[in-house]
């Protein structure tokens, strides 16, 4: 039984709204946490504990002068951030937050696709277009270098990402996220049998969201702003949004596939929403922690790591799981 | 001369097209991209502008352009008395400004033959080393920032802030201290100053260990910095590289040991020398140098406590102002005071060059006196300026991402470069 279309629309709106709010507060939380790691206070002036800071940032970025460089390709220049944010937002709707009917009698997900993981891949792969077109249309050398870096890195990490996801998918025998959650509830969290895939997927997700140590596209030390160097005002903010939404989606996808989704094992009650939010928060914290601690890899090292280590490791693990599943007659 | 002169044109032509291995495949054309970095750029450590020719992300040629911070300090000093010149010296290298104060004072003292009392000598050494640590902290913080690590920057600035508080306490200024005078110091240390320095000394060694852990054991940092932009010892000498960058290339040359000044010969400390000559060793050697500086400061504090109160200026009234209370009783003191304030002292005809070791390398003041109360010519041998000429040599063939790391590892201060 699926929800009526009007309900899907409402839920889609809620997800977009929720993601954008989450982005706004993610920036604040990240800044506050980074500050804690770095023996300082962080933004704490606007509102109590700086809680209104995202609002102030939003007002600022909307009111700033919106500059389009004279020699830029104007249509593509405006289109690029829109592409980036659109494809960042459409992936999240698949994540289940509870059992059927947990959302006021409706399903706590926007849509349930049997090819869920495939769909997620497709839209996250599209993100590269936003970045690449931005760099291309800006007609600036910094932007071009930044966008080339990102595109190359994204494509090489996409492979490892896919390979590391195929292994659990083979074991479960479904691309549907709900089925994966159910399977984990019946058997065991996939992190235990699939630990290598979990590690590989987490690393590849960091690269996907362009976080330290893979934040080359916006390596401000050498490339100023990377692909978004020429962007200002709300268009720049859209790129930021896209990046954080990617991060949030990754933080939701990892627990869904490897950590039992919205369910908890054994005697712990399965509370819809709560466990999922906690798991997402855990991974977001982990990503911020990494950012405060690590150095940035160099472009060629990143590529070598992606193609030379991550991809072969994912491939080997994929083959191991494939043999296991084949020997068990196609069943886990 | 360099072993391998940079001949960019040949190289540019040889790299404009990829070789074709496949029979019949069309030759791929590629272009050299000329990228302008700076003078306003997040990581050029001031207003340095470099123009790089890139093949992909690899640097084929790098041309530094300097002069954006040229202020004419040296020329201005020709129109100021020797005492007034001290206002200019710390503004050149604003990170290790005691080194400039000290080098200038030493040069003028040599010119006029002033004697610096022992207490003043020890205070000078102590402050100079504290300032060296502050400078190295900035180097480490901003240098690691160029590798994408945000956190060490704030940690380093925490300790630097403590040091700047000390400097402000002693001289009234955080950056441009103007505390050292020809023939001594402006005034004695404030009370309790030594105990504050001791508190700092108690904390600092642990903090240095902490910083070392933050990057030296990081595999990513090792991967990024080891073997990058190697300057072999011979080329380092030919490029007149000095300071930590030279010692990271395996040359044991420290002016404090080679041509001791300000009593450095009487302190026991080692000169760390590393052999790699790459970015990694240039970063690590600053950590080791901070440890040696802590040693020197510790000895200086002990000495100051042993010395007790004493004069901090050359008593010669022709060089330093007479004590305030003498002005009411001694006519001669009033005359000297009047002469010094209105026209300053007159060194004998001659010229002098005094080399010192700043945090960046050999810092020398060359001063020519025509017998007047103002220097005829001042020329600063600024380590940042001379070290910067290694940049295009070191950056040849490295990735553009490493360029900022190489700039950071050579530790230029643009005020020191352009003056």
């Amino acid at each position: 039984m699926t929800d009526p279309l009007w309900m899907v629309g409402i839920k889609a709106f809620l997800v977009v709204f929720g993601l954008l709010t989450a982005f706004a507060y993610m920036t604040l939380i990240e800044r506050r946490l980074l500050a804690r790691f770095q023996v300082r206070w962080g933004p704490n002036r606007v509102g109590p504990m700086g809680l209104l800071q995202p609002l102030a940032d939003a007002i600022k970025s909307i009111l700033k002068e919106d500059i389009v460089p004279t020699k830029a390709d104007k249509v593509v220049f405006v289109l690029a951030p829109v592409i980036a944010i659109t494809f960042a937002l459409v992936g999240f709707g698949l994540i289940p937050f509870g059992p059927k009917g947990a959302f006021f009698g409706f399903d706590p997900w926007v849509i349930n696709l049997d090819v869920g993981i495939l769909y997620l891949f497709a839209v996250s792969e599209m993100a590269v277009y936003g970045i690449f077109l931005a760099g291309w249309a800006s007609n600036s050398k910094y932007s071009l270098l930044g966008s080339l870096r990102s595109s190359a890195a994204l494509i090489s990490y996409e492979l490892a990402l896919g390979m590391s996801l195929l292994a659990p998918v083979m074991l479960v025998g479904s691309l549907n996220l709900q089925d994966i959650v159910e399977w984990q509830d019946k058997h065991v969290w996939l992190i235990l049998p699939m630990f290598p895939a979990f590690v590989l997927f987490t690393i590849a997700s960091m690269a996907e969201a362009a976080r330290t140590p893979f934040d080359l596209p916006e390596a401000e030390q050498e490339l100023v702003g990377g692909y978004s160097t020429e962007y200002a005002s709300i268009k720049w903010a859209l790129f930021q949004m896209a990046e954080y939404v990617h991060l949030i989606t990754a933080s939701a996808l990892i627990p869904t596939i490897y950590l039992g989704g919205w369910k908890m094992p054994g005697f712990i009650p399965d509370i819809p929403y709560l466990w999922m939010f906690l798991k997402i928060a855990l991974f977001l914290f982990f990503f911020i922690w990494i950012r405060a601690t690590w150095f940035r890899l160099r472009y060629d090292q990143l590529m070598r790591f992606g193609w030379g280590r991550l991809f072969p490791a994912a491939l080997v693990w994929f083959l191991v799981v494939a043999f296991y599943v084949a020997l068990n007659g196609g069943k886990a | 001369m360099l072993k391998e002169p940079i001949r960019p044109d040949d190289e540019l032509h040889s790299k404009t097209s990829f070789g074709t291995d496949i029979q019949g495949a069309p030759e791929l054309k590629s272009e050299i991209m000329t990228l302008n970095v700076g003078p306003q750029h997040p990581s050029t450590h001031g207003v340095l502008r470099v123009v790089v020719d890139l093949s992909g992300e690899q640097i084929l040629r790098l041309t530094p352009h300097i002069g954006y911070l040229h202020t004419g300090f040296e020329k201005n000093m020709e129109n100021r008395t020797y005492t007034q010149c001290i206002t200019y010296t710390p503004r050149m290298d604003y990170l290790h400004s005691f080194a400039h104060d000290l080098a200038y004072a030493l040069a003028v003292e040599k010119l006029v033959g002033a004697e610096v009392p022992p207490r003043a000598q020890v205070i000078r050494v102590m402050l100079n080393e504290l300032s060296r640590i502050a400078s190295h902290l900035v180097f480490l913080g901003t240098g690691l920032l160029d590798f994408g690590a945000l956190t060490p920057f704030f940690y380093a600035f925490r300790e630097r802030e403590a040091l700047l508080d000390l400097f402000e306490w002693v001289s009234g200024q955080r950056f441009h201290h103007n505390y050292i005078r020809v023939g001594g110091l402006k005034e004695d240390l404030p009370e309790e100053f030594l105990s504050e320095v001791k508190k700092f000394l108690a904390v600092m060694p642990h903090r240095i260990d902490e910083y070392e852990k933050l990057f030296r054991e990081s595999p990513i940092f090792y991967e990024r910095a080891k073997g990058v932009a190697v300057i072999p010892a011979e080329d380092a000498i030919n490029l007149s590289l000095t300071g930590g960058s030279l010692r990271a290339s395996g040359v044991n040359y420290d002016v404090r040991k080679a041509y001791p000044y300000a009593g450095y010969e009487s302190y026991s400390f080692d000169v760390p020398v590393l052999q790699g000559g790459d970015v990694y060793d240039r970063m690590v050697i600053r950590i080791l140098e901070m440890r040696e500086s802590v040693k020197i400061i510790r000895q200086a504090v002990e000495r100051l406590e042993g010395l007790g109160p004493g004069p901090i200026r050359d008593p010669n009234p022709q060089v330093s102002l007479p004590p305030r209370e003498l002005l009411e009783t001694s006519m001669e003191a009033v005359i000297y005071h009047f002469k010094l304030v209105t026209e300053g002292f007159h060194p004998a005809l001659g010229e002098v060059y005094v080399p010192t070791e700043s945090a960046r390398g050999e810092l020398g003041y060359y001063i020519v006196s025509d017998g007047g109360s103002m220097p005829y010519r001042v020329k600063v041998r600024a380590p940042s300026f001379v070290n910067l000429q290694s940049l295009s040599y070191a950056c040849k063939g490295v990735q553009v991402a490493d360029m900022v790391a190489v700039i950071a590892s050579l530790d230029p201060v643009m005020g020191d470069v352009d003056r």
Side-chain angles (χ1 to χ4, degrees):
Chain A
M1 185 193 80
T2 48
D3 290 334
L5 202 58
W6 61 269
M7 193 62 216
V8 173
I10 288 178
K11 283 190 294 191
F13 173 77
L14 276 180
V15 162
V16 170
F17 185 75
L19 273 178
L20 293 184
T21 316
F23 149 74
Y25 276 89
M26 181 65 192
T27 58
L28 176 69
I29 292 165
E30 171 155 39
R31 285 164 74 186
R32 294 280 292 183
L33 273 176
L34 275 181
R36 286 295 166 164
F37 282 116
Q38 295 164 348
V39 288
R40 58 195 177 88
W41 286 104
N44 62 355
R45 295 288 118 176
V46 191
M49 299 189 302
L51 279 176
L52 295 180
Q53 183 72 39
L55 200 67
D57 288 343
I59 292 170
K60 189 189 87 171
S61 62
I62 289 168
L63 292 183
K64 280 230 165 186
E65 187 186 354
D66 194 4
I67 300 164
V68 179
T70 332
K71 297 215 169 161
D73 184 332
K74 297 206 173 48
V75 178
V76 184
F77 188 83
V78 176
L79 212 57
V82 178
I83 293 175
I85 186 67
T86 310
F87 285 105
L89 284 172
V90 291
F92 197 83
L94 290 183
I95 310 284
F97 277 84
K100 269 182 179 301
F103 183 74
F104 306 113
F106 298 98
D107 298 339
W109 53 77
V110 177
I111 196 160
N112 184 16
L113 287 178
D114 280 339
V115 289
I117 286 178
L118 216 59
Y119 166 78
L120 274 171
F121 264 112
V123 295
S124 80
E125 189 76 3
M126 291 298 283
V128 78
Y129 283 99
I131 290 171
F132 188 76
L133 290 176
W136 196 258
S138 296
N139 202 2
S140 146
K141 287 168 182 171
Y142 286 114
S143 306
L144 184 65
L145 276 177
S147 73
L148 283 177
R149 276 180 174 195
S150 307
S151 319
L154 272 180
I155 288 165
S156 43
Y157 277 82
E158 204 68 48
L159 275 169
L161 195 76
M163 275 292 162
S164 60
L165 260 187
L166 274 185
V169 164
M170 266 193 304
L171 200 63
V172 176
S174 169
L175 283 165
N176 189 320
L177 286 175
Q178 262 81 302
D179 291 351
I180 294 176
V181 173
E182 288 301 325
W183 189 92
Q184 293 182 82
D185 192 39
K186 260 182 243 144
H187 299 80
V188 62
W189 280 12
L190 273 168
I191 186 174
L192 293 175
M194 290 283 152
F195 190 71
F198 166 73
V199 173
L200 291 170
F201 185 71
T202 310
I203 295 175
S205 301
M206 269 195 283
E208 187 74 23
R211 299 284 297 181
T212 314
F214 309 109
D215 58 341
L216 299 167
E218 66 233 81
E220 63 181 23
Q221 274 73 27
E222 58 251 30
L223 292 182
V224 195
Y227 61 86
S228 59
T229 302
E230 301 296 335
Y231 281 86
S233 182
I234 192 67
K235 289 210 280 288
W236 176 82
L238 284 178
F239 277 120
Q240 288 288 305
M241 263 182 227
E243 210 163 276
Y244 277 93
V245 171
H246 271 297
L247 190 70
I248 296 168
T249 310
S251 306
L253 198 57
I254 297 170
T256 306
I257 294 170
Y258 293 99
L259 291 178
W262 56 274
K263 293 191 173 194
M264 288 299 267
F267 58 90
I268 309 169
D270 295 336
I271 306 167
Y273 303 104
L274 175 73
W275 296 126
M276 198 58 202
F277 283 131
L278 282 181
K279 285 170 185 175
I280 293 175
L282 180 79
F283 275 93
L284 287 176
F285 175 77
F286 172 74
F287 286 134
I288 295 172
W289 188 9
I290 293 285
R291 180 171 175 197
T293 321
W294 279 8
F295 292 82
R296 179 188 305 125
L297 280 166
R298 207 172 57 206
Y299 170 70
D300 56 321
Q301 290 166 345
L302 178 99
M303 299 296 279
R304 208 180 311 139
F305 182 70
W307 288 100
R309 306 266 170 81
L310 218 55
F311 181 58
L315 202 60
V316 166
W317 182 247
F318 169 72
L319 287 176
V320 169
V321 177
F323 272 112
Y324 174 80
V325 173
L327 287 178
N328 281 288
K331 292 238 164 161
Chain B
M1 276 309 292
L2 297 173
K3 268 195 296 189
E4 212 186 323
I6 300 163
R7 229 180 283 113
D9 292 337
D10 303 348
E11 213 164 327
L12 290 186
H13 286 300
S14 70
K15 294 234 178 166
T16 40
S17 60
F18 293 113
T20 46
D21 297 334
I22 308 157
Q23 282 282 312
E27 199 176 331
L28 287 170
K29 287 279 177 204
S30 74
E31 274 179 44
I32 302 298
M33 181 194 262
T34 304
L35 185 70
N36 175 60
V37 181
Q40 311 293 339
H41 187 271
S43 58
T44 49
H45 294 241
V47 279
L48 172 65
R49 174 178 163 226
V50 289
V51 177
V52 282
D53 289 336
L54 295 174
S55 161
E57 293 227 359
Q58 199 183 29
I59 294 176
L60 299 180
R61 176 172 53 178
L62 181 147
T63 321
H65 292 260
I66 60 167
Y68 291 93
L69 207 60
H70 179 63
T71 331
F73 288 135
E74 289 163 338
K75 186 69 187 168
N76 266 325
M77 284 161 94
E78 291 169 17
N79 296 305
R80 300 288 184 277
T81 66
Y82 285 97
T83 313
Q84 286 169 336
C85 284
I86 290 174
T87 48
Y88 290 109
T89 53
R91 280 163 174 78
M92 297 184 204
D93 182 349
Y94 35 81
L95 294 183
H96 189 187
S97 43
F98 271 117
H100 268 266
D101 288 3
L102 182 59
Y104 171 77
L106 286 169
V108 180
E109 279 156 13
K110 202 167 169 188
L111 210 54
V112 296
E115 288 288 325
V116 182
R119 184 175 165 81
Q121 287 272 31
V122 182
I123 293 175
R124 281 177 173 191
V125 167
M126 182 180 77
L127 290 175
N128 191 29
E129 293 305 316
L130 282 173
S131 187
R132 187 187 309 277
I133 292 179
S135 171
H136 281 347
L137 284 173
V138 176
F139 166 84
L140 275 179
T142 57
L144 295 178
L145 200 60
D146 289 343
F147 285 99
L150 304 169
T151 311
F153 178 79
F154 294 99
Y155 283 19
F157 269 58
R158 174 183 55 184
E159 263 63 62
R160 177 166 180 265
E161 208 52 37
L163 282 170
L164 292 185
D165 284 348
L166 285 178
F167 297 151
E168 189 181 3
W169 195 15
V170 77
S171 67
Q173 294 262 35
R174 284 154 58 86
F175 269 42
H176 308 308
H177 315 300
N178 301 328
Y179 179 66
I180 292 174
R181 291 283 183 277
V182 176
L185 304 167
K186 182 182 125 209
E187 58 194 16
D188 209 334
L189 293 175
E191 278 177 52
E192 303 291 314
F193 186 79
L194 286 184
S195 61
E196 286 299 318
V197 174
K198 272 198 224 159
K199 272 184 209 160
F200 177 78
L201 286 179
V203 177
M204 196 57 199
H206 308 296
R207 294 280 160 82
I208 296 177
D209 295 344
E210 206 178 295
Y211 301 144
E212 194 173 5
K213 252 187 239 160
L214 273 178
F215 73 96
R216 204 174 175 175
E217 290 165 16
S218 163
I220 296 182
F221 178 73
Y222 188 87
E223 188 81 356
R224 282 212 49 186
K226 193 72 196 167
V228 169
V230 177
I231 307 178
E234 195 190 329
D235 290 342
I237 293 170
N238 289 340
L239 285 162
S240 297
L241 203 62
T242 49
S245 307
L246 176 70
R247 292 190 285 277
S249 294
V251 182
N252 188 348
Y253 174 69
D254 187 322
V255 180
R256 290 175 295 177
K257 289 278 190 196
Y259 307 103
Y261 57 93
Y264 268 112
E265 65 277 12
S266 59
Y267 295 85
S268 84
F269 65 100
D270 300 320
V271 177
V273 178
L274 297 174
Q275 303 299 327
D278 49 13
V279 172
Y280 184 80
D281 280 359
R282 284 198 285 274
M283 301 295 278
V284 169
I285 202 154
R286 263 74 179 201
I287 284 276
L288 306 176
E289 283 185 6
M290 283 204 284
R291 291 221 173 89
E292 298 306 318
S293 291
V294 169
K295 265 192 216 169
I296 298 173
I297 298 164
R298 198 163 275 145
Q299 293 169 44
V301 171
E302 273 166 26
R303 251 177 236 195
L304 279 178
E305 284 174 335
L307 277 173
I312 44 103
R313 236 177 286 165
D314 185 359
N316 181 3
Q318 287 184 336
V319 176
S320 49
L321 290 175
R324 188 80 207 169
E325 56 274 15
L326 265 186
L327 294 183
E328 290 163 11
T329 54
S330 156
M331 189 61 210
E332 238 175 85
V334 174
I335 293 169
Y336 279 126
H337 187 274
F338 181 75
K339 292 286 271 183
L340 272 178
V341 170
T342 51
E343 59 180 33
F345 48 80
H346 298 256
L349 205 70
E351 56 186 50
V352 66
Y353 175 77
V354 175
T356 63
E357 182 77 19
S358 101
R360 270 151 268 290
E362 180 176 328
L363 165 68
Y365 268 76
Y366 173 71
I367 300 176
V368 181
S369 161
D370 58 355
S373 65
M374 298 171 189
Y376 176 74
R377 175 83 175 91
V378 179
K379 165 81 179 82
V380 184
R381 193 264 183 216
S384 301
F385 173 69
V386 183
N387 289 355
L388 200 60
Q389 70 181 345
S390 308
L391 184 63
S392 44
Y393 172 84
C395 279
K396 218 176 102 191
V398 306
Q399 301 278 316
V400 73
D402 286 332
M403 177 191 77
V404 291
V406 178
I407 296 176
S409 77
L410 289 171
D411 196 13
V413 166
M414 292 320 286
D416 201 26
V417 173
D418 294 335
R419 298 189 299 282

